[in-house]
């Protein structure tokens, strides 16, 4: 039987010439592509946001590379990024062995990177155009729903809010009218429709002042009127704020007011759920994303025109050809497609 020979294994064996981190990264590794792309981005807007003075700051280009590469690896936690900067050779190479903590990373992407992320996206697409990888002459448009990072049980429904608001309005008007009748006061004037919180407060203060002047101590009546000022006016303002947040939408999430409740795609068990999310419209060319917009609409209908207009704003031109499915069909679809083609020529 042949003798078994194992390779030498010594964890404490020092190297005469320490290896370069880049030696451990393949030439075609995506991290090298990302590194080259970010090196060619204009980050002057971020750099100019630093005030100077005090301790030195981490290079914003290095932090941008770390955040972007983490996102490519589906890593979004600042704490995980901090850990990877000490363990993963790709992250160590990108950062030049620097180890910013999670708080530094989070503050950078929240206060600095988020303000220019859309501009950086545009810069990358223009790089692809310069390299003749894409032309922006054609757009393939489609939408997809992305679930929001919000509690799916903290919903606000427009119809329910309007119904409760009208019920509260009727209740308050009845209480105040009864009190004014009891005091032989003229009925308070209100604008047409539902009373505003300020109107409630003004009428209740007038009634309470009159009760004090006349020495009326009807505890039940005083309590009902006081509740209008102390409780119902605040509740009415809450309803008004919700309706203002909703705008044209039929629903939103309390923990993410920008998210709308929409029917998500069915899972493997054919179960479809209504969850808070966003309808993201995406334009592609040669398998690269060239434009994106986010909509509160639960379907693609009604998103097309805004998507085309913002494409023109981003690049100063329209595409000669736009390909989209029938889900975008609307009265103005034909006209916008004609206008898009004419501007591109």
């Amino acid at each position: 039987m042949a003798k078994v020979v194992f390779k030498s294994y010594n964890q404490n064996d020092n190297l005469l010439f320490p290896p370069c981190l880049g030696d451990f990264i393949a030439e075609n590794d995506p991290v090298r592509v990302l590194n080259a792309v970010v090196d060619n981005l204009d980050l002057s807007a971020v750099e100019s946001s630093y005030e100077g003075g005090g301790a030195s700051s981490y290079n914003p280009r290095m932090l941008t590379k770390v955040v972007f590469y983490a996102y490519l690896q589906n890593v979004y936690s600042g704490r995980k990024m901090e850990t990877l900067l000490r363990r993963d050779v790709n992250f160590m190479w990108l950062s030049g062995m620097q180890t910013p903590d999670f708080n530094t990373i989070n503050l950078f992407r929240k206060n600095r990177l988020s303000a220019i992320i859309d501009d950086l996206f545009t810069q990358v697409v223009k790089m692809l155009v310069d390299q003749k990888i894409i032309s922006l002459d054609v757009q393939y448009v489609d939408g997809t729903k992305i679930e929001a990072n919000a509690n799916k049980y903290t919903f606000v429904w427009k119809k329910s809010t309007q119904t409760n608001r009208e019920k509260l309005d009727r209740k308050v008007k009845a209480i105040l009218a009864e009190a004014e009748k009891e005091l032989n006061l003229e009925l308070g004037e209100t604008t047409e429709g539902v009373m505003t919180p300020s109107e409630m407060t003004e009428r209740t203060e007038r009634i309470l002042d009159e009760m004090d002047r006349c020495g009326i101590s009807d505890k039940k009546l005083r309590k009902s009127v006081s509740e209008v000022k102390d409780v119902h006016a605040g509740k009415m303002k809450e309803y008004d704020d919700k309706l203002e947040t909703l705008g044209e939408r039929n629903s939103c999430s309390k923990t993410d007011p920008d998210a709308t409740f929409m029917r998500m795609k069915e899972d493997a068990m054919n179960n479809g759920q209504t969850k808070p999310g966003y309808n993201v419209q995406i334009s592609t060319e040669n398998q690269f994303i060239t434009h994106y917009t986010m909509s509160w609409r639960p379907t693609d209908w009604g998103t097309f025109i805004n998507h085309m207009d913002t494409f023109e704003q981003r690049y100063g031109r329209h595409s000669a050809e736009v390909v989209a499915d029938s889900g975008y069909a609307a009265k103005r679809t034909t006209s916008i497609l004609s206008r898009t083609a004419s501007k591109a020529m």
Side-chain angles (χ1 to χ4, degrees):
M1 182 178 178
K3 182 181 179 181
V4 178
V5 179
F6 295 104
K7 294 183 182 296
S8 175
Y9 175 65
N10 185 353
Q11 291 176 285
N12 298 316
D13 190 11
N14 296 323
L15 296 175
L16 180 61
F17 298 103
C20 174
L21 283 176
D23 295 340
F24 298 105
I25 302 173
E27 289 298 323
N28 61 348
D29 194 294
V31 71
R32 292 189 181 274
V33 177
L34 180 138
N35 184 69
V37 168
V38 177
D39 277 340
N40 285 279
L41 292 177
D42 178 10
L43 297 181
S44 57
V46 173
E47 293 168 352
S48 63
S49 66
Y50 289 84
E51 297 180 358
S56 60
S57 303
Y58 285 105
N59 193 308
R61 197 172 298 275
M62 178 273 289
L63 291 171
T64 301
K65 292 178 181 179
V66 169
V67 172
F68 281 7
Y69 186 65
Y71 289 173
L72 284 177
Q73 306 302 310
N74 291 324
V75 175
Y76 305 99
S77 165
R79 291 182 183 274
K80 288 184 179 179
M81 293 182 199
E82 179 184 353
T83 300
L84 289 170
L85 284 167
R86 290 175 168 80
R87 294 183 179 179
D88 189 285
V89 66
N90 286 5
F91 280 90
M92 294 165 70
W93 177 71
L94 279 178
S95 67
M97 294 295 291
Q98 295 180 354
T99 55
D101 60 21
F102 73 93
N103 193 46
T104 300
I105 295 171
N106 289 338
L107 288 175
F108 172 75
R109 58 178 172 174
K110 175 184 177 182
N111 299 334
R112 305 187 190 278
L113 190 59
S114 62
I116 66 160
I117 192 71
D118 193 61
D119 176 65
L120 297 183
F121 171 83
T122 304
Q123 288 187 49
V124 172
V125 175
K126 288 181 177 178
M127 283 185 196
L128 296 174
V129 175
D130 293 339
Q131 295 295 322
K132 301 188 183 304
I133 298 174
I134 60 174
S135 64
L136 296 181
D137 290 334
V138 61
Q139 292 183 66
Y140 296 91
V141 183
D142 203 358
T144 185
K145 295 176 184 176
I146 297 179
E147 185 176 346
N149 185 19
N151 191 324
K152 62 182 179 180
Y153 300 110
T154 58
F155 40 76
V156 176
W157 299 105
K158 187 173 188 177
K159 187 174 181 180
S160 176
T161 301
Q162 290 175 330
T163 300
N164 291 333
R165 182 169 173 260
E166 291 168 1
K167 285 182 180 179
L168 180 61
D169 178 66
R170 290 194 295 268
K171 178 181 178 180
V172 168
K173 286 178 178 176
I175 292 173
L176 298 182
E178 181 184 353
E180 289 166 339
K181 183 178 180 181
E182 186 75 21
L183 296 168
N184 294 319
L185 292 172
E186 293 184 5
L187 294 178
E189 295 183 0
T190 59
T191 56
E192 185 178 352
V194 176
M195 292 179 67
T196 65
S198 60
E199 288 175 340
M200 290 184 183
T201 302
E202 290 173 5
R203 284 183 67 178
T204 54
E205 288 178 347
R206 185 172 73 105
I207 292 170
L208 291 172
D209 290 343
E210 183 65 17
M211 292 179 73
D212 292 337
R213 190 182 69 80
C214 297
I216 297 176
S217 59
D218 187 335
K219 293 183 179 180
K220 184 176 180 181
L221 181 61
R222 181 178 286 274
K223 181 180 179 182
S224 297
V225 174
S226 296
E227 280 185 351
V228 173
K229 177 182 177 182
D230 300 334
V231 180
H232 301 325
K235 194 66 178 177
M236 183 62 76
K237 185 178 185 307
E238 181 183 327
Y239 290 144
D240 289 344
D241 291 343
K242 286 180 179 179
L243 290 174
E244 183 179 356
T245 300
L246 285 164
E248 298 181 51
R249 296 179 294 166
N250 291 321
S251 65
C252 72
S253 169
K254 291 180 181 178
T255 53
D256 185 356
D258 292 330
T260 303
F261 277 79
M262 52 186 70
R263 190 81 173 178
M264 297 296 176
K265 292 183 178 179
E266 295 182 344
D267 57 22
M269 302 299 292
N270 294 325
N271 295 319
Q273 279 189 304
T274 301
K275 298 178 182 179
Y278 299 91
N279 189 358
V280 182
Q281 303 301 309
I282 299 173
S283 293
T284 65
E285 181 187 350
N286 197 20
Q287 300 186 41
F288 289 95
I289 296 175
T290 58
H291 182 50
Y292 66 91
T293 53
M294 299 182 68
S295 173
W296 56 265
R297 296 181 182 276
T299 63
D300 292 338
W301 186 91
T303 64
F304 185 81
I305 295 174
N306 176 66
H307 190 72
M308 292 294 102
D309 288 343
T310 51
F311 182 93
E312 181 185 20
Q313 293 168 13
R314 186 186 294 274
Y315 302 113
R317 54 176 287 195
H318 272 301
S319 299
E321 183 179 0
V322 179
V323 181
D325 60 32
S326 60
Y328 294 93
K331 293 180 180 179
R332 292 179 60 197
T333 299
T334 303
S335 62
I336 189 66
L337 283 172
S338 300
R339 189 181 74 188
T340 300
S342 63
K343 285 189 177 183
M345 292 178 179

